[in-house]
Amino acid sequence: MGLDYENDGALHAKLIEDVLSQYPDKAAKRRKKHLSVATSKDEAEGEDKGLSECDVKSNIKSIPGVMTIRGCAYAGSKGVVWGPVKDMVHISHGPVGCGQYSWSQRRNYYVGTTGIDTFVTMQFTSDFQEKDIVFGGDKKLEKIIDEIEDLFPLSGGISVQSECPIGLIGDDIEAVSRKKAKEHEKTIVPVRCEGFRGVSQSLGHHIANDAIRDWVFDKDDVAFESGPYDVNVVGDYNIGGDAWASRILLEEIGLRVVGNWSGDATLAEIERAPKAKLNLIHCYRSMNYICRHMEEKYGIAWMEYNFFGPSQIEASLRNIAKHFGPEIEEKTEKVIAKYRPLVDAVIAKYQPRLEGRTVMLYVGGLRPRHVITAYEDLAMVIVGTGYEFAHNDDYQRTGHYVKNGTLIYDDVTGYELEKFIEGIRPDLVGSGIKEKYPVQKMGIPFRQMHSWDYSGPYHGYDGFAIFARDMDLAINNPVWGLYRAPWKKMKDAPLRAVAAE
Amino acid sequence: MPQSAEKVLDHAPLFREPEYRQMLAEKKLSFECPHPDQIVTDQRELTKTWEYREKNLAREALVINPAKACQPLGAVFAAAGFERTMSFVHGSQGCVAYYRSHLSRHFKEPSSAVSSSMTEDAAVFGGLKNMVDGLANTYKLYDPKMIAVSTTCMAEVIGDDLRSFIENAKNEGSVPSDFHVPFAHTPAFVGSHVDGYDGMVKGVLEHFWKGSERSQAAGTINIIPGFDGFCVGNNRELKRLLDLMGVTYTVIQDASDQFDTPSDGEYRMYDGGTKIEDVKGALNAEATLSLQHYNTRKTLEYCNEVGQATASFHYPLGVQATDEFLMKVSAISGQEIPETIRMERGRLVDAMADSQSWLHGKKYAIYGDPDFVYGITRFVMETGGEPTHCLATNGTSAWEAEMKELLASSSFGQDAQIWAGKDLWAMRSLLFTEPVDLLIGNSYGKYLERDTGTPLIRLMFPIFDRHHHHRFPLMGYQGGLRVLTTILDKIFDKLDRETSETGVTDYSYDLTR
């Protein structure tokens, strides 16, 4: 993590000033709190040298009409936390749209016979009609659960993912779930993740975590022989196989991953979690709640780790190993040594093609900070970063990752992001599908950093090689040099990236 | 170690490597508590049976893998077809993130829309404040000429009234009083995206036409395309044909440029679309034609009310449907269909004749929006194909009746079954119990292709996993050629695959077909 650089704080401050000037006063006042330029604490407070401060307000309501990029609580629960649990049927309870738009879009990889014993890439919906809104949907939900039992007898359980109307019309999905769980002798989890709750996906994560606590844990019949090196991996959704590329390393250092939450997970892996020795959290934002609960109730320690890029992988592996003592630590050093030639070869191949290239990030969860060092391992430079739905503790953690002068934006609006990118003209932007095409139109290379742009995995050593390859192919593709029609004068096509080629 | 810098393996090959196979096998056995393999196999076989099909089709409440979306998606798509128009969806904000993503994933293009970002407090007190602030912000930041307001189900359930909210917002100065803010209530729990399209287009027309005096311009025509993932190719083809005929027309709701902006260094948030002046002028047209009847039922009713003649089609593609459309245009406009178009028609018929032996008697399952299914079914029968299953999750009983009539009109439609309101999990049972040669639909059909082995042809929105198909027309004679070629490619590729085994089947691996 030793890459040393400083960003152009003055330019970034000016960009913030410029975008704020375009808002109506009331909105400008509110947006101002979400935008900042990272500054060292030694400058700001005269202490804690080396850390940066990312002082923005977060986790508050988006302003109407500004084109927030955020989603909703349902997206946080069904889309993120529950959806990947593979042997359960997740009902999108309400009108057809939410389930339709989120169907198969997060790339939570799993192994199973879809439609028979696993159900992740299917869209189960109660397809609410007007009469369900008027008369309530509880009877329909009962029938749906019966029909699932009839048609999908090998499902391990059911979750009910509430869409907006459920909470507004006063349905009692908890009562239905309790009744039907008893009748079918299966786990049925009602989740109150209506999209209007909270300010973003984030509350949906929390609600989903609470549902695990309230509706899955503390069953009497969890039979499991636990061992001294049992860990849960928490907050890895196995996007493009991330959790597999992580698991292979944890197993190699001698740990036993008894549960992965929630990518490629079965309900059994969640039920037995309280029997593990340690919870390893990758996505802190979406799953810290249940880890804190397990710590309080079952005394299981938890630890954050980062498997993006070799520096963080090594640091994380050592940190995890320390928890288990010399035997694991010894194995860990062997594993790090084993992968060192791969890392060296990847860096030798790609760093010359990527060195000094600038990157702006805007993602959710953990990535706006966690992937920074993976870029820096390739000698790339992070000029701006921000989160869709972070809280204060995320920005505190971000301070350990970013350099002086980095532009920080919370719940950025479409307008701001466009203007920031225009003003900075980074060599690469990493964000989501909604941002991808506007950025590419500007002639700036882009990678989707939610879905890995249909590639991946990016976690672990195997993933780092793919990450490096993908950043290279994004930035160094010849198409970016073709944007300007040769008969147009330069002033008509102010394309820095192209002009520089 | 499977990974190397020389040959980087991503997910597709990486997890097939022995280290990962073994790891996953052990994970399954030790930690997943799986069902025994035999039980999984038995259940899988059971789902292929008539017995399972009966249970599957008898479902009354559960919907699995539907082929439809919700109303506001249609409204957002509709708004994208007007000049510098920003969609403003009143209600929860997550919905808007979904519509934008959905449209971007299909078109591989930017998709802009804003939300009024209502949360718990708005659920209690109503979303008026969100509307007032939201319109002001959108107007200031995104410099639109028009803001088209629709609703998510949250706003509908709590009963927010758009007309009065917008009026209030104007009174409070959010936007100038003469600024264009058409609206449509688009409850997600009624109908589907095609109804949201209908509502929004009607909302726009009402906004501009209400209170205006109509003076009919004889021979002029309005054309409304309907919700169409192929609007880029189709609308341009349509305009080419109308220009060839010399017709005076307005395409109302034309998203062909909005969803096909060039890459030249400039991000165009708005591009193309029906000009506001043209929408106003369209009141005077003699007739309004809809290319997709089930997308425009209310809109056409309104056009009728203002005094226009109306007619609707079902996604006109292939020979006869294109004939009918052009003849209608010709009848209203008084313009002859020129010889060049007759030549194009002849070329499509020529191509169909060249390939008829490969198409005659092929059985099809077709699903999608009601008009699309009708249009494709008709074309398939023109090629000598036999539609076996015609399914529209958002098909009504009226659609079912029209389909019956269409199928009865041809000897190739005699064995067809019509499935209104059914979903793709039902289709799975249908394909297992009454198999077909080809499946026509969208990307979601790939799961059916995987499970049942039926080759999938992607011809309808959304197409996420193939690129750029939507840039080519399906409508008109040229579009017919494209559809024909796509079907033939699928047939030939499959035949080549099945006959390519050296020394076993490759006697049939013919060079010329």
Side-chain angles (χ1 to χ4, degrees), chain B residues 334-504:
Chain B
Q335 300 290 320
E336 298 266 321
I337 301 170
E339 195 58 8
T340 47
I341 294 183
R342 195 178 72 85
M343 290 302 108
E344 285 182 18
R345 182 186 190 278
R347 290 181 194 120
L348 171 61
V349 174
D350 180 69
M352 289 164 67
D354 294 345
S355 311
Q356 55 84 17
S357 66
W358 294 102
L359 298 169
H360 193 101
K362 286 279 183 293
K363 288 184 184 299
Y364 293 80
I366 299 161
Y367 74 86
D369 285 343
D371 295 291
F372 169 82
V373 172
Y374 187 102
I376 284 284
T377 300
R378 191 174 183 191
F379 180 55
V380 157
M381 292 196 295
E382 286 180 340
T383 66
E386 296 174 11
T388 304
H389 304 292
C390 303
L391 181 149
T393 309
N394 49 355
T396 59
S397 52
W399 172 78
E400 199 173 335
E402 278 196 302
M403 285 297 294
K404 261 188 193 141
E405 201 178 314
L406 170 70
L407 292 160
S409 72
S410 163
S411 60
F412 294 92
Q414 300 311 305
D415 294 332
Q417 298 168 76
I418 307 154
W419 304 100
K422 295 296 180 191
D423 53 38
L424 298 186
W425 191 254
M427 181 65 104
R428 186 177 182 273
S429 282
L430 300 175
L431 293 177
F432 274 127
T433 48
E434 294 173 278
V436 298
D437 298 301
L438 296 161
L439 171 66
I440 294 180
N442 53 23
S443 283
Y444 297 120
K446 77 187 296 174
Y447 297 128
L448 294 168
E449 184 176 41
R450 175 195 61 194
D451 289 359
T452 70
T454 318
L456 168 68
I457 300 169
R458 294 160 177 82
L459 290 173
M460 204 198 81
F461 179 91
I463 299 175
F464 297 133
D465 61 339
R466 296 291 184 274
H467 294 192
H468 312 309
H469 290 211
H470 68 276
R471 297 178 198 264
F472 300 92
L474 304 182
M475 290 183 189
Y477 305 122
Q478 296 287 357
L481 265 180
R482 174 95 189 159
V483 176
L484 183 77
T485 312
T486 310
I487 294 174
L488 286 165
D489 278 350
K490 192 59 84 171
I491 290 171
F492 291 133
D493 283 348
K494 180 167 184 263
L495 186 57
D496 278 352
R497 241 188 349 264
E498 287 169 352
T499 58
S500 63
E501 202 181 335
T502 310
V504 181

Side-chain angles (χ1 to χ4, degrees), chain A residues 21-275:
Chain A
S21 72
Q22 293 305 307
Y23 283 95
D25 292 345
K26 190 173 159 191
K29 219 166 133 189
R30 286 174 65 184
R31 281 305 304 159
K32 190 168 193 269
K33 301 173 188 156
H34 297 266
L35 307 170
S36 89
V37 176
T39 42
S40 295
K41 273 193 176 170
D42 57 347
E43 279 174 34
E45 294 167 26
E47 57 184 31
D48 258 1
K49 201 176 173 186
L51 292 188
S52 302
E53 181 68 41
C54 304
D55 192 16
V56 291
K57 283 266 183 292
S58 59
N59 196 32
I60 43 185
K61 271 195 279 190
S62 302
I63 302 174
V66 296
M67 212 178 313
T68 173
I69 290 157
R70 282 174 168 177
C72 64
Y74 164 89
S77 176
K78 186 265 184 180
V80 174
V81 175
W82 278 104
V85 181
K86 66 179 177 179
D87 63 341
M88 292 177 79
V89 169
H90 308 288
I91 305 166
S92 292
H93 191 39
V96 68
C98 318
Q100 201 72 3
Y101 310 128
S102 56
W103 178 6
S104 287
Q105 294 299 355
R106 251 179 78 83
R107 303 188 66 236
N108 308 108
Y109 280 11
Y110 64 101
V111 178
T113 309
T114 303
I116 308 300
D117 63 355
T118 46
F119 310 94
V120 179
T121 50
M122 294 173 70
Q123 138 61 338
F124 293 85
T125 172
S126 44
D127 190 15
F128 259 38
Q129 302 299 305
E130 196 148 26
K131 63 177 191 305
D132 302 314
I133 301 288
V134 176
F135 300 110
D138 286 342
K139 287 242 152 56
K140 187 174 200 175
L141 181 58
E142 289 194 18
K143 191 167 232 170
I144 283 172
I145 292 170
D146 292 343
E147 289 177 350
I148 288 171
E149 280 308 299
D150 198 21
L151 289 167
F152 307 97
L154 303 188
S155 81
I158 293 169
S159 82
V160 182
Q161 304 289 329
S162 302
E163 299 170 8
C164 286
I166 305 306
L168 297 171
I169 63 177
D171 274 13
D172 191 351
I173 58 169
E174 288 81 6
V176 173
S177 300
R178 224 172 268 124
K179 176 180 162 190
K180 286 290 161 186
K182 205 165 166 194
E183 203 178 307
H184 295 298
E185 295 179 338
K186 271 206 180 154
T187 298
I188 301 180
V189 184
V191 191
R192 285 289 182 177
C193 54
E194 288 89 345
F196 61 82
R197 293 190 198 278
V199 303
S200 68
Q201 293 92 314
S202 185
L203 189 63
H205 305 142
H206 197 150
I207 292 168
N209 278 221
D210 289 352
I212 295 173
R213 179 193 67 200
D214 297 340
W215 296 85
V216 179
F217 279 176
D218 300 325
K219 295 245 163 84
D220 304 325
D221 53 353
V222 177
F224 188 71
E225 190 86 23
S226 59
Y229 300 121
D230 288 359
V231 297
N232 295 309
V233 168
V234 179
D236 189 327
Y237 302 105
N238 204 31
I239 290 166
D242 279 341
W244 295 334
S246 304
R247 181 186 196 96
I248 205 164
L249 296 177
L250 295 170
E251 287 185 357
E252 276 185 89
I253 66 168
L255 301 181
R256 202 165 80 122
V257 182
V258 300
N260 189 89
W261 292 20
S262 54
D264 192 38
T266 58
L267 182 60
E269 295 179 52
I270 295 177
E271 286 172 340
R272 86 165 66 92
K275 294 185 182 276

